Every structure is written in C-alpha cells, then in structure tokens.
Amino acid sequence: MALPHHPNNNKNHNIHNNNNNNASPFPLPLYLTNGIFLTLCFSVSYFLLLRCPHKLQSSFPFHAVTLTQLFSLILLISSFIYLLNFFAIGFVQSFIATSRPYHDTLQHDVVPKPKLMDNNNNNNSFTCENDVVLDNNKPNGFIISEEDEEIINSVVNGTVSSYSLEEMVGDCRRAAAIRREAVERKTGRSVLGLPFIGFDYESILGQCCEMAIGYVQIPVGIAGPLLLNGGEYMVPMATTEGCLVASTNRGCKAVFSSGGATAVLLKDGMTRAPVVRFGTVARAATVKFFLEDRVNFETLSIVFNKSSRFARLQSIQCSIAGRNLYIRFTCSTGDAMGMNMVSKGVQNVLDFLHIEFPDMDVIGISGNFCSDKKPSAVNWIEGRGKSVVCESVITEEVVRKVLKTTVPALVELNMLKNLAGSAIAGSLGGFNAHAANIVSAIFIATGQDPAQNVESSHCITMMEAVNGGKDLHISVTMPAIEVGTVGGGTQLASQAACLNLLGVKGASKESPGSNARLLATIVAGSVLAGELSLMSAISAGQLVKSHMKYNRSNQDITAMIS
C-alpha cells in the first residue's frame, strides 16, 4: 500500500525519483529531460540573438522571420514554458508552503493526482494512474491497492487474522491502514476523526500496542515552574479535564512564592508475588520459614539477580492462606519501572525452589499479593515502587493573595474532607483531594502505565498551621509511585520529549536509577501543588465557578470534525 508522505520528511522534491521515475511523463530520466530543455533554451536564445545584428545591418524587418527562425522561436517558447513550470512554480509552492502553519501542511500530504471515476457505485471513490483506489471519505487520504483490497476482504471474512497483518505485509503502517479499513467495513461504523498519519507505528510493535488503527490525541499542558529541592521543573500534564493544569499551575506558583518544596525518597523497590501450593499446610509453612531465613537470603539473591544487571533483591515477605503460599519479592530496578525485570528474577527463584521442594506447585507468577493495578493495604503500608514524602510551608501572605483563602479554613477543610471524610467512606489510600488527577496526567504525558495510577495515587495529604498559626504546613505522603524513564511508553517520541523537558529522559549513566527516582519526587511535588490549589478553591467556594468557566466548551465539536 502506498501511503502519503509526511511533510516532515522534507523529501517532496524527490517524490518522482523515489517512484522509479514512473510519475514522469517523459521516457528519459528527469535529470536528462531537464538538461535537454535547459540546453535547448540557451542554444536557441543564442541563435536568435546572433540574427539580430544581421537584421539591423540589412534593414530587414524584425517581424519577418524565416522558417528556421520561426522553428527556433517555437523551441524557445516551449523550453521556456517547461522550465518555468518545473522551477518557478516549484519555487513559489515551496515559498507558500513555508509560510503555511504546520498543522495545515499536515492535512495536505502528497498523493498521486486522481482522475474521477465511479468505482463500485461510490461517487466518492477515485482511481489513480498507478492503479490504486483513493477513497475521498477517508480523513487521512488512504490509498488502497488491489492487493490490499484482497487482504482487507480476507480480514473482514475471517480468513486472515487481524493480529497477523504486521507479519504478513511487513509494514506496520500499511498493516494499521488495512486493519482500520477492515474494522470500518466489518462494523459499518466510521472512525472519522481518529488520526492515522503522523505516527510511527514501527515504534509500538512488540512493546506498546497491538492491532493499531490510529492514535488518540490528548493535549499536553505545562504547570510550573515547580521549585523542588532547589531545582525548577516545568511539569507536562496530558489531560482533557479543564482547570486541572491551571489549578496545578497556581499551586506551583504558591509553592514557588513560599520558597519551594522538599521531597524525600523513603524507599525504592518493585514487587512481584507468585502464589504456590503444597500438599499440606505444614509443608507450606516450612518453605515460608526457609524463604524468610536470612541465612538463605544471599543464595536466593544470587539466583534472583542473574535476571538483570540492575535487578537487586531487597527482601522476601511471605503470607499463608491454607496450603497456598504467597511470596512477595521486592527488588531495585534501576531507571526502569521494573515489572518485567522483577518477574524474570522471580521466575529464576521459582525454578531454584522447585529443585529444593519438588512438591511445590506454581499456581501463578502473580498472586495479587504484589499488588499491581489494584488498591491494597500491602502497598499502602509496605510501599511499592518509589515511596516519597513531600512538604512545603506556604506563607500567610501567599495563602491570602495567591490562593484566596485562609490558613485556618484550609486546615479545617483538610481534616473534615481528606481525613474524616475519607475514613467515613472507608477509603484505602485515598486520604487526599485529587492526587489521581495529577498522577494520571503526568503518567500519560511521560509514557508511564496509566493503570498503575491506582496504587501510585495512594496519598495522604496533611495540613497544619505553623509559625504561631500564621503559615500553612502541607505535606503529601505517597508510598507507591511506580514510574520509570526507560522501557514501555517512555520510548515513544512524544513521551520521551516530555521526559526530556523534566531532564529525566532515558537511563542515568552516572547513577543508575536516579532519573526514575527524580521523576517520582516531581510527581509527589506536583501532587502537593495540585492538592494545595484544589483545597483552596473548595475553601474559598470557587470550585463550581471555575469549572463552569473553564471546563465547559461552547464549540460544536461535531461540526468541527465534519
């Protein structure tokens, strides 16, 4: 399938050559054709100029020309028209293109010039000179060849599996386009508005997303600068919730104006907890004692650490339920979030244990004692990923002028809402106003696993009056921030750019793991800013008013898309 070129490729001037010169109307290569016409133009011009002095000397009228001169004039005009068309128009178009907005050029990708033709009784279909079909209904200018048409029909009728298209056609972008068309035909519903062009489908193969048909656009805003541990950070937040970035930005301003915030990393260790079964409770208890015995820990560490040069086993915690033993491994994982790394280490230990205890039956490498992507007391108490506490003292003047409220009002609201209210609700790790908002926005922007927002948003927000009751001390304690700066979505171009903005892109060569730890503290500092601003808005009675102003759109989105 031939797909339109992206304007960023800066190769529009080579399009004809890249198509094996098939697009050229001349039998000769394009560079020879240009050379012939250029030579012809100068040669004929020189010949005609030589005739002018002769006519002046002989008083021969200029409008009277011989057959040779007439033929020369025709050649001059034709060569001039060709050269004007090739060079001048191209120059004007390039000049106009540079003055157009970037988003406009994205919508005018180069495609073969179509000729109108009624194809399958569809007045919106066209056929091009290179025997492909261009459906004008498609928002991104899909070009479907006859070969691709056969594959699409095979996917629709089930003879070809959609998940195998990448391997079958050998081109991820082409496979996504075929799958997209097949989905529309099979469901009878359009995905108009779902972007396709402008994304590197090769980058997600085997690591981020399967059976792709496009990508979703989420706007990214910037909150900051966040003054944290003496450094300033502009925090990228990907969200569709109005007021969120603005509110977090106001919190950052309040923190900055009061001298900044301080964050401390308390713990750093990813967990995985397989569940194994034994014949009796006594046998399960024997293995529990074996695993928790410090004498055996060094041997188990050697076995575990073989999985990676960054993986280092930190602890093993066991819990029994009848004949079932749940074994919670905790290890450091460098700058990676580390789920795959710790899982490989756990598998090594299980293989080793099976030799020592052949009656051990491995039920699953994850027994939910980890606990991943679920709210749990074990993460709230023991921590998972990065455990961070962050604090700041906001002066009375900043509380009054920036946050538009008072210290006593904030302290009372925090006690009744975040502490007492959450307790009444039976909340688990949710003793905060909206930590999940900030965590999710940063996670999406920086390529983290959005589902791990569940435990990463575990947070308790504390507020109290200090310095004689004039100033506000605010802190957030977050025991399970699960982030990484390598692997997964962090390798995608947009997400990598956001990580680079924070200065934590990729792995740290000087101090492995320091980039991921810094990212965790930035998340905690941003949560503190978001908590401060939202609580102030609620305290001052501004929440509903601000959301009605900034979280409501008067634009007709349907009309914009169509």
Side-chain angles (χ1 to χ4, degrees):
M1 172 184 289
L3 288 171
H5 291 272
H6 194 280
N8 283 350
N9 289 341
N10 295 324
K11 296 181 179 177
N12 290 345
H13 61 286
N14 291 326
I15 288 176
H16 293 84
N17 291 336
N18 292 340
N19 287 328
N20 298 323
N21 299 315
N22 290 336
S24 176
F26 303 100
L28 297 176
L30 194 59
Y31 72 94
L32 285 180
T33 305
N34 291 341
I36 291 172
F37 273 97
L38 192 62
T39 304
L40 188 64
C41 180
F42 281 102
S43 301
V44 172
S45 299
Y46 181 73
F47 171 77
L48 291 175
L49 288 173
L50 288 177
R51 298 297 95 195
C52 291
H54 180 268
K55 288 189 176 185
L56 290 173
Q57 292 176 1
S58 61
S59 299
F60 198 80
F62 275 88
H63 63 272
V65 295
T66 65
L67 185 62
T68 304
Q69 292 171 347
L70 178 62
F71 183 68
S72 299
L73 283 173
I74 293 174
L75 290 178
L76 176 63
I77 294 172
S78 60
S79 60
F80 179 77
I81 291 174
Y82 172 83
L83 294 174
L84 179 67
N85 177 69
F86 188 82
F87 291 105
I89 294 179
F91 172 77
V92 172
Q93 286 180 334
S94 64
F95 180 79
I96 295 174
T98 57
S99 64
R100 288 189 305 180
Y102 176 73
H103 71 273
D104 183 54
T105 63
L106 287 178
Q107 304 302 321
H108 295 81
D109 294 316
V110 180
V111 297
K113 185 177 180 180
K115 295 183 292 185
L116 186 61
M117 175 181 176
D118 186 8
N119 183 64
N120 295 332
N121 297 323
N122 183 359
N123 291 328
N124 290 314
S125 295
F126 301 86
T127 181
C128 300
E129 294 179 2
N130 52 353
D131 296 326
V132 295
V133 177
L134 173 61
D135 190 344
N136 199 39
N137 280 326
K138 302 305 177 188
N140 296 303
F142 289 121
I143 303 176
I144 304 172
S145 67
E146 293 181 0
E147 178 186 357
D148 295 331
E149 185 69 29
E150 294 179 5
I151 299 175
I152 291 170
N153 292 332
S154 298
V155 173
V156 172
N157 61 36
T159 57
V160 171
S161 299
S162 179
Y163 66 81
S164 65
L165 286 175
E166 280 76 9
E167 182 179 358
M168 179 179 179
V169 303
D171 183 339
C172 292
R173 192 170 188 234
R174 179 185 171 198
I178 292 173
R179 183 180 297 111
R180 180 185 180 115
E181 181 66 21
V183 166
E184 287 192 328
R185 296 185 188 182
K186 197 168 185 177
T187 62
R189 298 181 182 276
S190 171
V191 290
L192 181 67
L194 180 67
F196 180 82
I197 291 177
F199 188 78
D200 181 9
Y201 292 92
E202 300 285 346
S203 65
I204 63 174
L205 181 64
Q207 67 174 356
C208 292
C209 182
E210 299 77 36
M211 304 207 300
I213 63 169
Y215 59 97
V216 173
Q217 295 169 312
I218 302 179
V220 177
I222 291 295
L226 172 66
L227 183 56
L228 180 69
N229 291 342
E232 295 183 16
Y233 304 95
M234 300 301 294
V235 183
M237 302 175 67
T239 181
T240 56
E241 180 181 347
C243 287
L244 178 58
V245 178
S247 178
T248 307
N249 188 64
R250 182 176 76 150
C252 290
K253 179 181 179 181
V255 171
F256 192 97
S257 302
S258 298
T262 301
V264 179
L265 186 81
L266 305 175
K267 195 183 299 184
D268 180 9
M270 182 49 62
T271 64
R272 175 60 83 196
V275 53
V276 297
R277 178 182 294 165
F278 295 90
T280 64
V281 170
R283 186 62 169 168
T286 299
V287 178
K288 178 182 184 298
F289 297 144
F290 174 86
L291 291 170
E292 294 180 342
D293 190 340
R294 298 302 300 179
V295 174
N296 301 319
F297 184 79
E298 183 177 354
T299 301
L300 296 173
S301 295
I302 295 174
V303 174
F304 186 98
N305 296 345
K306 289 191 301 182
S307 62
S308 169
R309 60 193 179 101
F310 296 109
R312 294 296 177 266
L313 185 63
Q314 296 175 347
S315 65
I316 300 175
Q317 179 184 3
C318 298
S319 182
I320 284 183
R323 298 185 296 133
N324 304 305
L325 178 64
Y326 297 83
I327 315 167
R328 194 173 193 256
F329 295 85
T330 304
C331 81
S332 59
T333 57
D335 282 306
M337 182 272 290
M339 283 299 301
N340 292 333
M341 193 183 299
V342 67
S343 295
K344 288 192 294 183
V346 167
Q347 187 63 56
N348 288 346
V349 174
L350 290 177
D351 293 341
F352 172 80
L353 290 176
H354 201 272
I355 297 174
E356 296 292 324
F357 305 96
D359 56 331
M360 182 181 74
D361 183 14
V362 179
I363 305 301
I365 196 168
S366 176
N368 276 6
F369 187 39
C370 311
S371 172
D372 186 41
K373 301 180 177 73
K374 291 166 283 292
S376 63
V378 68
N379 288 342
W380 179 239
I381 298 170
E382 298 292 337
R384 188 172 194 254
K386 276 72 173 169
S387 299
V388 182
V389 60
C390 184
E391 67 173 350
S392 181
V393 175
I394 312 300
T395 64
E396 179 187 26
E397 182 182 11
V398 171
V399 171
R400 180 168 42 86
K401 292 184 177 181
V402 177
L403 301 176
K404 312 299 182 183
T405 185
T406 64
V407 173
L410 282 172
V411 172
E412 182 180 31
L413 177 64
N414 186 72
M415 180 186 66
L416 295 178
K417 170 182 167 62
N418 288 342
L419 304 183
S422 296
I424 290 175
S427 179
L428 179 59
F431 296 88
N432 58 79
H434 71 148
N437 255 337
I438 292 86
V439 172
S440 294
I442 298 176
F443 270 31
I444 295 172
T446 59
Q448 312 304 313
D449 188 340
Q452 289 184 322
N453 163 71
V454 175
E455 61 268 38
S456 295
S457 296
H458 280 354
C459 171
I460 181 168
T461 301
M462 305 289 291
M463 293 185 184
E464 56 183 309
V466 294
N467 299 330
K470 294 191 302 180
D471 301 331
L472 176 74
H473 180 277
I474 177 173
S475 68
V476 292
T477 304
M478 306 179 70
I481 302 177
E482 299 169 359
V483 293
T485 58
V486 296
T490 66
Q491 300 179 80
L492 300 179
S494 302
Q495 289 79 346
C498 290
L499 288 171
N500 188 59
L501 180 64
L502 293 171
V504 295
K505 177 184 175 182
S508 172
K509 296 180 180 179
E510 295 78 15
S511 178
S514 61
N515 279 354
R517 290 192 289 269
L518 176 56
L519 179 58
T521 61
I522 293 173
V523 170
S526 302
V527 168
L528 184 144
E531 290 286 281
L532 182 62
S533 184
L534 176 59
M535 292 293 287
S536 298
I538 296 175
S539 174
Q542 300 172 339
L543 179 64
V544 175
K545 181 180 178 181
S546 61
H547 270 266
M548 297 311 297
K549 181 178 180 181
Y550 296 107
N551 204 18
R552 292 292 183 270
S553 175
N554 295 322
Q555 300 180 10
D556 186 350
I557 303 298
T558 305
M560 291 172 63
I561 293 177
S562 61

